[in-house]
């Protein structure tokens, strides 16, 4: 009997040791030191022809190359994994790993609102000086801490313009105008203050909303206006240029920190190269989108930008907290 008991105890010990060994192996695989390939899912809202997607594909290739295939990134465009907000929630839940996000992150980190304040930036150089300087670092740190994601690289965005089926040259033309805005409270408040009737809607629903007359217009940069084929349901691009901004490509903090040091370094090196690749695309493609939209029949309308800026100013001042206003003032001073 004692021999049987001893044999059973010995077998039990072997199983325990085997189980512990399995846990060690799992940890090594999650850190990227050895074992199976790690796969990250990147979901975003643009289509396959957009510069964000093309740059994401380049980034994926660079990461695979620099990690010897140990880390692969699968890309899901056209909101296949959900809206921007849903994907950010998915990153927190661990069902998604990466996305492309900007001012929407203010729903977690109020500082992110400053990535897209109406008429805060004078020009493209002003935006670059902010995002690459101390103000940008302050926003990045807030995003890491409060959203739970780490910015890897960024895209400059062409100015946001208002599209419609009737010319809109001043705020007085906005009376009764139903328009889509992203899930950004400041955008909602600013357009409401200017006289429009804004409503939040997922980007993937905007085309149908315009087609069916649920909304009369929307606002986005020319690249997204083109990639979403809004030229099929809108006649005018009103050059409000109300927001100049940037957008980050982000990965979950936990996902990034689970990699070993070498793999983290490889990801950051790939991100730096993707940054340069994306900037080249931005510079070569943005102007081309204007002509493409004109070729599709859209007419570009000059507007009274000063009147729009003045109309939106109270909403900006009332919507921003004391902390946000301080950051806003820093941005304005950066242009001096």
């Amino acid at each position: 009997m004692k021999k049987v008991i001893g044999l059973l105890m010995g077998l039990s010990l072997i199983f325990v040791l085997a189980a512990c060994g399995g846990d060690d192996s799992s940890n090594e695989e999650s850190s990227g030191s050895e074992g199976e390939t790690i796969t990250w899912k990147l979901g975003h809202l643009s289509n396959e022809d957009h510069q964000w997607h093309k740059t994401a594909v380049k980034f994926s290739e660079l990461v695979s190359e620099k990690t010897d295939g140990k880390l692969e990134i699968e890309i899901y465009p056209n909101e296949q994994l959900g809206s921007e907000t849903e994907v950010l929630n998915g990153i927190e839940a661990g069902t998604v790993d990466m996305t492309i996000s900007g001012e929407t992150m203010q729903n977690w980190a109020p500082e992110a609102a400053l990535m897209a304040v109406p008429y805060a930036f004078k020009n493209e150089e002003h935006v670059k000086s902010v995002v690459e300087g101390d103000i940008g670092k302050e926003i990045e740190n807030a995003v890491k801490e409060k959203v739970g994601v780490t910015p890897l690289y960024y895209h400059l965005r062409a100015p946001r313009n208002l599209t419609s089926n009737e010319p809109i040259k001043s705020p007085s033309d906005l009376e009764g105008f139903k328009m889509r805005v992203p899930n950004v409270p400041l955008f909602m408040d600013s357009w409401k203050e200017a006289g429009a009737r804004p409503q939040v809607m997922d980007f993937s629903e905007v085309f149908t909303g315009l087609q069916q007359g649920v909304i009369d217009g929307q606002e986005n940069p020319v690249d997204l206006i083109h990639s979403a084929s809004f030229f099929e349901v809108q006649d005018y691009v009103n050059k409000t240029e109300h927001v100049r901004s940037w957008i980050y490509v982000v990965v979950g903090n936990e996902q990034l920190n689970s990699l070993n040091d070498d793999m983290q370094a490889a990801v950051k090196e790939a991100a730096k190269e993707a940054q340069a690749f994306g900037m080249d695309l931005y510079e070569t493609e943005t102007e081309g989108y204007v002509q493409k939209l004109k070729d599709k029949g859209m007419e570009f309308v000059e507007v009274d930008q000063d009147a729009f800026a003045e109309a939106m100013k109270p909403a900006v001042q009332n919507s921003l907290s004391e902390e946000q206003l301080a950051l806003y003032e820093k941005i304005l001073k950066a242009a001096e």
Side-chain angles (χ1 to χ4, degrees):
M1 185 67 177
K2 290 181 179 179
K3 288 183 179 179
V4 172
I5 293 173
L7 179 60
L8 290 173
M9 291 178 64
L11 288 171
S12 298
L13 181 59
I14 290 171
F15 285 129
V16 169
L17 290 173
C20 291
D23 288 342
D24 289 343
S25 174
S26 176
N27 288 336
E28 287 175 350
E29 287 176 14
S30 67
S31 69
S33 58
E34 62 181 356
E36 296 181 4
T37 298
I38 298 169
T39 301
W40 283 352
K41 293 181 179 179
L42 191 168
H44 65 85
L45 62 80
S46 66
N47 71 8
E48 292 90 339
D49 294 327
H50 193 267
Q51 57 192 263
W52 297 353
H53 182 77
K54 293 177 182 177
T55 305
V57 170
K58 181 66 174 177
F59 175 65
S60 175
E61 292 171 352
L62 289 167
V63 167
S64 179
E65 174 188 319
K66 294 178 185 297
T67 62
D68 296 323
K70 292 179 181 177
L71 176 59
E72 299 289 343
I73 298 175
E74 296 178 350
I75 305 167
Y76 298 84
N78 298 307
E79 292 191 332
Q80 291 177 39
L81 300 183
S83 67
E84 189 175 334
T85 300
E86 288 169 340
V87 175
L88 285 168
N89 285 327
I91 291 175
E92 183 180 5
T95 57
V96 190
D97 305 288
M98 297 183 66
T99 192
I100 303 176
S101 186
E103 60 276 1
T104 297
M105 293 188 289
Q106 72 174 279
N107 295 298
W108 291 267
E111 294 86 348
L114 280 300
M115 294 174 66
V117 174
Y119 297 104
F121 295 96
K122 288 187 175 182
N123 51 42
E124 200 171 279
E125 288 306 312
H126 185 192
V127 179
K128 288 179 70 175
S129 69
V130 166
V131 67
E132 295 177 3
D134 292 339
I135 300 172
K137 184 59 65 178
E138 190 173 340
I139 293 173
E140 276 190 37
N141 290 337
V143 166
K144 286 182 188 178
E145 179 184 343
K146 300 173 183 179
V147 189
V149 297
T150 298
L152 294 174
Y153 62 92
Y154 76 92
H155 289 281
L156 281 181
R157 306 185 74 173
R160 298 181 81 94
N161 287 312
L162 179 66
T163 66
S164 62
N165 284 324
E166 295 291 339
I168 294 178
K169 297 182 179 181
S170 70
S172 61
D173 296 327
L174 289 173
E175 185 177 355
F177 185 76
K178 297 175 294 183
M179 61 179 290
R180 176 266 181 181
V181 294
N183 188 20
V184 179
L186 180 55
F187 283 16
M188 174 75 79
D189 295 342
S190 296
W191 283 107
K192 189 180 294 183
E193 187 73 31
R197 294 170 57 189
Q199 57 184 281
V200 172
M201 182 182 291
D202 286 345
F203 187 74
S204 58
E205 299 174 0
V206 177
F207 184 94
T208 303
L210 291 167
Q211 190 176 46
Q212 297 179 350
V214 176
I215 50 175
D216 303 312
Q218 63 83 51
E219 48 81 58
N220 260 303
V222 290
D223 48 342
L224 287 181
I225 293 171
H226 181 269
S227 68
S229 299
F230 290 151
F231 51 79
E232 295 182 8
V233 287
Q234 297 273 263
D235 296 329
Y236 297 95
V237 177
N238 307 283
K239 295 174 63 177
T240 50
E241 297 184 345
H242 51 282
V243 171
R244 294 178 181 274
S245 64
W246 72 98
I247 195 163
Y248 287 120
V249 176
V250 300
V251 63
N253 292 345
E254 290 187 10
Q255 288 89 329
L256 182 62
N257 293 335
S258 72
L259 303 179
N260 63 35
D261 291 345
D262 288 343
M263 289 185 71
Q264 286 193 41
V267 168
K268 291 174 182 177
E269 184 181 335
K272 186 176 181 180
E273 293 180 23
Q275 174 79 65
F277 179 86
M279 196 66 72
D280 286 343
L281 278 183
Y282 171 81
E283 292 172 356
T284 57
E285 292 188 1
T286 300
E287 286 189 18
Y289 284 119
V290 173
Q291 188 59 50
K292 288 178 181 179
L293 291 174
K294 289 180 178 178
D295 292 342
K296 293 292 185 179
M298 296 195 83
E299 182 178 335
F300 281 70
V301 179
E302 295 295 334
V303 310
D304 187 346
Q305 292 186 6
D306 290 339
F308 276 98
E310 193 64 27
M312 292 182 180
K313 192 172 182 179
V316 172
Q317 294 176 331
N318 293 330
S319 296
L320 298 180
S321 67
E322 185 176 338
E323 183 181 7
Q324 289 172 323
L325 277 171
L327 203 52
Y328 174 63
E329 292 298 329
K330 287 183 184 180
I331 290 173
L332 296 181
K333 287 181 180 179
E336 297 174 358

